[in-house]
Amino acid sequence: HLIALDINSAGEVIDTRVITKGILNSSLMHPREVFRGAILNSAHSIILVHNHPSGNLSPSNQDIQVTEQIKKSGEIIGINLLDHVIVSKTGIQSMRSLGYI
Protein backbone atom coordinates (compact mmCIF):
# COMPACT_ATOMS: atom_id res chain seq x y z
CA HIS A 1 0.00 0.00 0.00
CA LEU A 2 1.01 3.59 -0.60
CA ILE A 3 -0.74 6.04 1.72
CA ALA A 4 -0.60 9.83 1.75
CA LEU A 5 -1.18 11.93 4.83
CA ASP A 6 -2.36 15.43 3.97
CA ILE A 7 -1.03 18.03 6.41
CA ASN A 8 -2.36 21.56 6.97
CA SER A 9 -0.22 24.63 7.68
CA ALA A 10 -0.49 23.99 11.44
CA GLY A 11 1.14 20.57 10.99
CA GLU A 12 -2.08 18.64 11.60
CA VAL A 13 -3.19 15.62 9.58
CA ILE A 14 -6.35 16.63 7.71
CA ASP A 15 -6.81 13.48 5.62
CA THR A 16 -5.37 10.02 5.10
CA ARG A 17 -5.66 8.59 1.58
CA VAL A 18 -4.79 5.21 0.07
CA ILE A 19 -3.07 6.09 -3.21
CA THR A 20 -2.49 2.59 -4.53
CA LYS A 21 -2.35 -1.05 -3.55
CA GLY A 22 0.54 -2.84 -5.20
CA ILE A 23 1.46 -6.40 -5.94
CA LEU A 24 3.97 -8.49 -4.01
CA ASN A 25 7.08 -6.45 -4.80
CA SER A 26 5.98 -3.23 -6.49
CA SER A 27 3.37 -0.51 -6.54
CA LEU A 28 2.73 1.76 -9.49
CA MET A 29 1.96 5.40 -8.82
CA HIS A 30 2.18 8.80 -10.44
CA PRO A 31 2.43 12.28 -8.89
CA ARG A 32 -1.06 13.16 -10.17
CA GLU A 33 -2.58 10.45 -7.92
CA VAL A 34 -0.50 11.58 -4.95
CA PHE A 35 -1.34 15.26 -5.27
CA ARG A 36 -4.95 15.10 -6.53
CA GLY A 37 -6.43 14.72 -3.04
CA ALA A 38 -3.85 17.01 -1.45
CA ILE A 39 -4.88 19.81 -3.80
CA LEU A 40 -8.58 19.21 -3.14
CA ASN A 41 -7.86 19.26 0.62
CA SER A 42 -5.79 22.47 0.32
CA ALA A 43 -2.93 20.61 2.00
CA HIS A 44 0.23 22.49 2.88
CA SER A 45 2.36 19.34 2.78
CA ILE A 46 2.18 15.56 2.62
CA ILE A 47 3.83 12.52 4.15
CA LEU A 48 3.98 9.30 2.14
CA VAL A 49 3.92 5.90 3.83
CA HIS A 50 4.30 2.53 2.17
CA ASN A 51 4.94 -0.98 3.34
CA HIS A 52 7.65 -3.49 2.53
CA PRO A 53 6.10 -6.95 3.01
CA SER A 54 9.60 -8.46 2.86
CA GLY A 55 10.48 -6.86 6.19
CA ASN A 56 13.53 -5.12 4.65
CA LEU A 57 13.39 -1.45 5.63
CA SER A 58 16.04 -0.30 3.16
CA PRO A 59 14.63 1.93 0.40
CA SER A 60 14.78 0.32 -3.02
CA ASN A 61 16.09 2.19 -6.06
CA GLN A 62 12.45 2.61 -7.12
CA ASP A 63 11.58 4.06 -3.68
CA ILE A 64 14.39 6.60 -4.03
CA GLN A 65 13.38 7.57 -7.59
CA VAL A 66 9.69 7.93 -6.70
CA THR A 67 10.54 10.02 -3.64
CA GLU A 68 12.65 12.40 -5.74
CA GLN A 69 9.90 12.65 -8.38
CA ILE A 70 7.24 13.42 -5.75
CA LYS A 71 9.51 15.92 -4.00
CA LYS A 72 10.18 17.81 -7.26
CA SER A 73 6.52 17.72 -8.28
CA GLY A 74 5.48 19.05 -4.88
CA GLU A 75 7.95 21.91 -5.14
CA ILE A 76 6.39 22.94 -8.45
CA ILE A 77 2.82 22.96 -7.14
CA GLY A 78 3.65 24.27 -3.67
CA ILE A 79 2.92 21.18 -1.56
CA ASN A 80 5.99 19.98 0.34
CA LEU A 81 6.91 16.34 0.81
CA LEU A 82 7.81 16.18 4.50
CA ASP A 83 8.82 12.52 4.59
CA HIS A 84 8.42 9.15 2.93
CA VAL A 85 8.22 6.41 5.55
CA ILE A 86 8.72 2.70 4.93
CA VAL A 87 6.96 0.35 7.33
CA SER A 88 7.24 -3.40 7.84
CA LYS A 89 6.75 -6.00 10.54
CA THR A 90 10.26 -5.23 11.76
CA GLY A 91 9.91 -1.45 12.18
CA ILE A 92 9.86 1.86 10.32
CA GLN A 93 12.39 3.86 8.30
CA SER A 94 12.21 7.54 7.42
CA MET A 95 13.67 8.46 4.05
CA ARG A 96 14.15 12.01 5.38
CA SER A 97 16.39 10.65 8.15
CA LEU A 98 18.40 8.84 5.47
CA GLY A 99 18.92 12.11 3.57
CA TYR A 100 16.67 11.43 0.57
CA ILE A 101 14.45 14.42 1.32
Side-chain angles (χ1 to χ4, degrees), residues 67-89:
T67 299
E68 184 62 27
Q69 182 182 30
I70 296 299
K71 179 183 172 195
K72 287 179 180 179
S73 298
E75 289 170 353
I76 291 169
I77 62 173
I79 299 176
N80 297 323
L81 175 61
L82 297 179
D83 206 343
H84 185 170
V85 178
I86 300 168
V87 298
S88 77
K89 292 178 184 177

PDB file of all heavy atoms in Angstrom, residues 67-89:
ATOM      1  N   THR A  67      10.462   8.958  -4.644  1.00  0.00           N
ATOM      2  CA  THR A  67      10.543  10.018  -3.645  1.00  0.00           C
ATOM      3  C   THR A  67      11.072  11.303  -4.267  1.00  0.00           C
ATOM      4  O   THR A  67      10.526  12.388  -4.028  1.00  0.00           O
ATOM      5  CB  THR A  67      11.441   9.577  -2.467  1.00  0.00           C
ATOM      6  OG1 THR A  67      10.862   8.416  -1.876  1.00  0.00           O
ATOM      7  CG2 THR A  67      11.579  10.671  -1.429  1.00  0.00           C
ATOM      8  N   GLU A  68      12.093  11.217  -5.071  1.00  0.00           N
ATOM      9  CA  GLU A  68      12.652  12.398  -5.735  1.00  0.00           C
ATOM     10  C   GLU A  68      11.631  13.008  -6.695  1.00  0.00           C
ATOM     11  O   GLU A  68      11.474  14.231  -6.749  1.00  0.00           O
ATOM     12  CB  GLU A  68      13.940  12.031  -6.479  1.00  0.00           C
ATOM     13  CG  GLU A  68      14.638  13.209  -7.121  1.00  0.00           C
ATOM     14  CD  GLU A  68      15.102  14.273  -6.134  1.00  0.00           C
ATOM     15  OE1 GLU A  68      15.371  13.949  -4.956  1.00  0.00           O
ATOM     16  OE2 GLU A  68      15.177  15.454  -6.534  1.00  0.00           O
ATOM     17  N   GLN A  69      10.918  12.166  -7.430  1.00  0.00           N
ATOM     18  CA  GLN A  69       9.902  12.646  -8.375  1.00  0.00           C
ATOM     19  C   GLN A  69       8.774  13.373  -7.634  1.00  0.00           C
ATOM     20  O   GLN A  69       8.338  14.451  -8.046  1.00  0.00           O
ATOM     21  CB  GLN A  69       9.340  11.469  -9.175  1.00  0.00           C
ATOM     22  CG  GLN A  69       8.325  11.871 -10.211  1.00  0.00           C
ATOM     23  CD  GLN A  69       7.748  10.675 -10.946  1.00  0.00           C
ATOM     24  OE1 GLN A  69       7.647   9.579 -10.403  1.00  0.00           O
ATOM     25  NE2 GLN A  69       7.363  10.894 -12.190  1.00  0.00           N
ATOM     26  N   ILE A  70       8.311  12.801  -6.533  1.00  0.00           N
ATOM     27  CA  ILE A  70       7.244  13.416  -5.752  1.00  0.00           C
ATOM     28  C   ILE A  70       7.732  14.726  -5.121  1.00  0.00           C
ATOM     29  O   ILE A  70       7.019  15.732  -5.106  1.00  0.00           O
ATOM     30  CB  ILE A  70       6.708  12.447  -4.680  1.00  0.00           C
ATOM     31  CG1 ILE A  70       6.051  11.234  -5.345  1.00  0.00           C
ATOM     32  CG2 ILE A  70       5.752  13.144  -3.722  1.00  0.00           C
ATOM     33  CD1 ILE A  70       4.869  11.560  -6.217  1.00  0.00           C
ATOM     34  N   LYS A  71       8.951  14.709  -4.604  1.00  0.00           N
ATOM     35  CA  LYS A  71       9.514  15.922  -4.001  1.00  0.00           C
ATOM     36  C   LYS A  71       9.562  17.061  -5.019  1.00  0.00           C
ATOM     37  O   LYS A  71       9.120  18.179  -4.740  1.00  0.00           O
ATOM     38  CB  LYS A  71      10.910  15.626  -3.464  1.00  0.00           C
ATOM     39  CG  LYS A  71      11.597  16.821  -2.847  1.00  0.00           C
ATOM     40  CD  LYS A  71      13.001  16.479  -2.407  1.00  0.00           C
ATOM     41  CE  LYS A  71      13.739  17.737  -1.983  1.00  0.00           C
ATOM     42  NZ  LYS A  71      15.172  17.523  -1.885  1.00  0.00           N
ATOM     43  N   LYS A  72      10.077  16.790  -6.214  1.00  0.00           N
ATOM     44  CA  LYS A  72      10.180  17.809  -7.260  1.00  0.00           C
ATOM     45  C   LYS A  72       8.806  18.279  -7.713  1.00  0.00           C
ATOM     46  O   LYS A  72       8.589  19.479  -7.907  1.00  0.00           O
ATOM     47  CB  LYS A  72      10.977  17.276  -8.455  1.00  0.00           C
ATOM     48  CG  LYS A  72      12.457  17.159  -8.185  1.00  0.00           C
ATOM     49  CD  LYS A  72      13.183  16.604  -9.389  1.00  0.00           C
ATOM     50  CE  LYS A  72      14.679  16.485  -9.117  1.00  0.00           C
ATOM     51  NZ  LYS A  72      15.395  15.910 -10.277  1.00  0.00           N
ATOM     52  N   SER A  73       7.879  17.358  -7.872  1.00  0.00           N
ATOM     53  CA  SER A  73       6.520  17.721  -8.280  1.00  0.00           C
ATOM     54  C   SER A  73       5.864  18.604  -7.227  1.00  0.00           C
ATOM     55  O   SER A  73       5.206  19.597  -7.557  1.00  0.00           O
ATOM     56  CB  SER A  73       5.670  16.464  -8.504  1.00  0.00           C
ATOM     57  OG  SER A  73       6.206  15.671  -9.535  1.00  0.00           O
ATOM     58  N   GLY A  74       6.038  18.261  -5.975  1.00  0.00           N
ATOM     59  CA  GLY A  74       5.479  19.047  -4.882  1.00  0.00           C
ATOM     60  C   GLY A  74       6.044  20.455  -4.838  1.00  0.00           C
ATOM     61  O   GLY A  74       5.323  21.417  -4.547  1.00  0.00           O
ATOM     62  N   GLU A  75       7.337  20.584  -5.122  1.00  0.00           N
ATOM     63  CA  GLU A  75       7.952  21.914  -5.142  1.00  0.00           C
ATOM     64  C   GLU A  75       7.319  22.790  -6.222  1.00  0.00           C
ATOM     65  O   GLU A  75       7.105  23.980  -6.009  1.00  0.00           O
ATOM     66  CB  GLU A  75       9.459  21.794  -5.367  1.00  0.00           C
ATOM     67  CG  GLU A  75      10.201  21.226  -4.165  1.00  0.00           C
ATOM     68  CD  GLU A  75      11.649  20.868  -4.458  1.00  0.00           C
ATOM     69  OE1 GLU A  75      12.083  20.929  -5.639  1.00  0.00           O
ATOM     70  OE2 GLU A  75      12.354  20.482  -3.497  1.00  0.00           O
ATOM     71  N   ILE A  76       6.985  22.181  -7.349  1.00  0.00           N
ATOM     72  CA  ILE A  76       6.388  22.937  -8.452  1.00  0.00           C
ATOM     73  C   ILE A  76       4.990  23.425  -8.086  1.00  0.00           C
ATOM     74  O   ILE A  76       4.640  24.576  -8.361  1.00  0.00           O
ATOM     75  CB  ILE A  76       6.345  22.080  -9.738  1.00  0.00           C
ATOM     76  CG1 ILE A  76       7.774  21.860 -10.259  1.00  0.00           C
ATOM     77  CG2 ILE A  76       5.466  22.723 -10.814  1.00  0.00           C
ATOM     78  CD1 ILE A  76       7.888  20.825 -11.355  1.00  0.00           C
ATOM     79  N   ILE A  77       4.197  22.569  -7.435  1.00  0.00           N
ATOM     80  CA  ILE A  77       2.816  22.956  -7.139  1.00  0.00           C
ATOM     81  C   ILE A  77       2.647  23.577  -5.755  1.00  0.00           C
ATOM     82  O   ILE A  77       1.563  24.028  -5.407  1.00  0.00           O
ATOM     83  CB  ILE A  77       1.843  21.778  -7.315  1.00  0.00           C
ATOM     84  CG1 ILE A  77       2.165  20.639  -6.358  1.00  0.00           C
ATOM     85  CG2 ILE A  77       1.819  21.312  -8.745  1.00  0.00           C
ATOM     86  CD1 ILE A  77       1.147  19.533  -6.375  1.00  0.00           C
ATOM     87  N   GLY A  78       3.709  23.601  -4.966  1.00  0.00           N
ATOM     88  CA  GLY A  78       3.653  24.267  -3.666  1.00  0.00           C
ATOM     89  C   GLY A  78       3.138  23.412  -2.525  1.00  0.00           C
ATOM     90  O   GLY A  78       2.600  23.937  -1.553  1.00  0.00           O
ATOM     91  N   ILE A  79       3.287  22.099  -2.644  1.00  0.00           N
ATOM     92  CA  ILE A  79       2.918  21.178  -1.560  1.00  0.00           C
ATOM     93  C   ILE A  79       4.171  20.369  -1.223  1.00  0.00           C
ATOM     94  O   ILE A  79       4.627  19.559  -2.027  1.00  0.00           O
ATOM     95  CB  ILE A  79       1.755  20.254  -1.958  1.00  0.00           C
ATOM     96  CG1 ILE A  79       0.515  21.089  -2.291  1.00  0.00           C
ATOM     97  CG2 ILE A  79       1.458  19.259  -0.833  1.00  0.00           C
ATOM     98  CD1 ILE A  79      -0.677  20.278  -2.787  1.00  0.00           C
ATOM     99  N   ASN A  80       4.727  20.609  -0.042  1.00  0.00           N
ATOM    100  CA  ASN A  80       5.988  19.984   0.344  1.00  0.00           C
ATOM    101  C   ASN A  80       5.826  18.510   0.717  1.00  0.00           C
ATOM    102  O   ASN A  80       4.851  18.140   1.362  1.00  0.00           O
ATOM    103  CB  ASN A  80       6.586  20.710   1.559  1.00  0.00           C
ATOM    104  CG  ASN A  80       6.920  22.144   1.260  1.00  0.00           C
ATOM    105  OD1 ASN A  80       7.367  22.467   0.169  1.00  0.00           O
ATOM    106  ND2 ASN A  80       6.684  23.006   2.220  1.00  0.00           N
ATOM    107  N   LEU A  81       6.805  17.722   0.339  1.00  0.00           N
ATOM    108  CA  LEU A  81       6.908  16.339   0.809  1.00  0.00           C
ATOM    109  C   LEU A  81       7.745  16.374   2.082  1.00  0.00           C
ATOM    110  O   LEU A  81       8.940  16.657   2.043  1.00  0.00           O
ATOM    111  CB  LEU A  81       7.572  15.448  -0.242  1.00  0.00           C
ATOM    112  CG  LEU A  81       7.845  14.012   0.176  1.00  0.00           C
ATOM    113  CD1 LEU A  81       6.555  13.265   0.524  1.00  0.00           C
ATOM    114  CD2 LEU A  81       8.615  13.270  -0.917  1.00  0.00           C
ATOM    115  N   LEU A  82       7.097  16.138   3.218  1.00  0.00           N
ATOM    116  CA  LEU A  82       7.807  16.181   4.498  1.00  0.00           C
ATOM    117  C   LEU A  82       8.632  14.930   4.750  1.00  0.00           C
ATOM    118  O   LEU A  82       9.718  14.999   5.312  1.00  0.00           O
ATOM    119  CB  LEU A  82       6.821  16.369   5.651  1.00  0.00           C
ATOM    120  CG  LEU A  82       6.029  17.660   5.662  1.00  0.00           C
ATOM    121  CD1 LEU A  82       5.088  17.683   6.860  1.00  0.00           C
ATOM    122  CD2 LEU A  82       6.956  18.860   5.679  1.00  0.00           C
ATOM    123  N   ASP A  83       8.106  13.778   4.368  1.00  0.00           N
ATOM    124  CA  ASP A  83       8.816  12.519   4.593  1.00  0.00           C
ATOM    125  C   ASP A  83       8.175  11.432   3.746  1.00  0.00           C
ATOM    126  O   ASP A  83       7.055  11.582   3.249  1.00  0.00           O
ATOM    127  CB  ASP A  83       8.762  12.108   6.071  1.00  0.00           C
ATOM    128  CG  ASP A  83       9.935  11.219   6.495  1.00  0.00           C
ATOM    129  OD1 ASP A  83      10.622  10.644   5.615  1.00  0.00           O
ATOM    130  OD2 ASP A  83      10.162  11.103   7.703  1.00  0.00           O
ATOM    131  N   HIS A  84       8.907  10.370   3.559  1.00  0.00           N
ATOM    132  CA  HIS A  84       8.416   9.145   2.926  1.00  0.00           C
ATOM    133  C   HIS A  84       8.882   8.031   3.854  1.00  0.00           C
ATOM    134  O   HIS A  84      10.077   7.797   3.996  1.00  0.00           O
ATOM    135  CB  HIS A  84       9.005   9.001   1.525  1.00  0.00           C
ATOM    136  CG  HIS A  84       8.453   7.839   0.769  1.00  0.00           C
ATOM    137  ND1 HIS A  84       8.695   7.663  -0.568  1.00  0.00           N
ATOM    138  CD2 HIS A  84       7.682   6.794   1.146  1.00  0.00           C
ATOM    139  CE1 HIS A  84       8.099   6.562  -0.982  1.00  0.00           C
ATOM    140  NE2 HIS A  84       7.481   6.016   0.055  1.00  0.00           N
ATOM    141  N   VAL A  85       7.925   7.390   4.499  1.00  0.00           N
ATOM    142  CA  VAL A  85       8.219   6.413   5.546  1.00  0.00           C
ATOM    143  C   VAL A  85       7.938   5.014   5.025  1.00  0.00           C
ATOM    144  O   VAL A  85       6.896   4.761   4.416  1.00  0.00           O
ATOM    145  CB  VAL A  85       7.361   6.702   6.803  1.00  0.00           C
ATOM    146  CG1 VAL A  85       7.619   5.673   7.887  1.00  0.00           C
ATOM    147  CG2 VAL A  85       7.635   8.116   7.314  1.00  0.00           C
ATOM    148  N   ILE A  86       8.870   4.118   5.270  1.00  0.00           N
ATOM    149  CA  ILE A  86       8.720   2.704   4.931  1.00  0.00           C
ATOM    150  C   ILE A  86       8.390   1.959   6.219  1.00  0.00           C
ATOM    151  O   ILE A  86       9.064   2.150   7.234  1.00  0.00           O
ATOM    152  CB  ILE A  86      10.012   2.141   4.305  1.00  0.00           C
ATOM    153  CG1 ILE A  86      10.361   2.899   3.030  1.00  0.00           C
ATOM    154  CG2 ILE A  86       9.865   0.639   4.034  1.00  0.00           C
ATOM    155  CD1 ILE A  86      11.748   2.621   2.494  1.00  0.00           C
ATOM    156  N   VAL A  87       7.349   1.131   6.161  1.00  0.00           N
ATOM    157  CA  VAL A  87       6.962   0.345   7.334  1.00  0.00           C
ATOM    158  C   VAL A  87       7.004  -1.137   6.992  1.00  0.00           C
ATOM    159  O   VAL A  87       6.811  -1.531   5.847  1.00  0.00           O
ATOM    160  CB  VAL A  87       5.552   0.726   7.854  1.00  0.00           C
ATOM    161  CG1 VAL A  87       5.506   2.168   8.297  1.00  0.00           C
ATOM    162  CG2 VAL A  87       4.486   0.461   6.819  1.00  0.00           C
ATOM    163  N   SER A  88       7.285  -1.947   7.995  1.00  0.00           N
ATOM    164  CA  SER A  88       7.238  -3.400   7.842  1.00  0.00           C
ATOM    165  C   SER A  88       6.984  -4.012   9.219  1.00  0.00           C
ATOM    166  O   SER A  88       6.872  -3.292  10.215  1.00  0.00           O
ATOM    167  CB  SER A  88       8.557  -3.934   7.270  1.00  0.00           C
ATOM    168  OG  SER A  88       9.554  -3.985   8.264  1.00  0.00           O
ATOM    169  N   LYS A  89       6.935  -5.309   9.259  1.00  0.00           N
ATOM    170  CA  LYS A  89       6.746  -6.002  10.536  1.00  0.00           C
ATOM    171  C   LYS A  89       7.909  -5.765  11.485  1.00  0.00           C
ATOM    172  O   LYS A  89       7.768  -5.890  12.690  1.00  0.00           O
ATOM    173  CB  LYS A  89       6.581  -7.500  10.305  1.00  0.00           C
ATOM    174  CG  LYS A  89       5.307  -7.870   9.595  1.00  0.00           C
ATOM    175  CD  LYS A  89       5.241  -9.365   9.352  1.00  0.00           C
ATOM    176  CE  LYS A  89       4.004  -9.722   8.562  1.00  0.00           C
ATOM    177  NZ  LYS A  89       3.943 -11.151   8.249  1.00  0.00           N
TER     178      LYS A  89
END
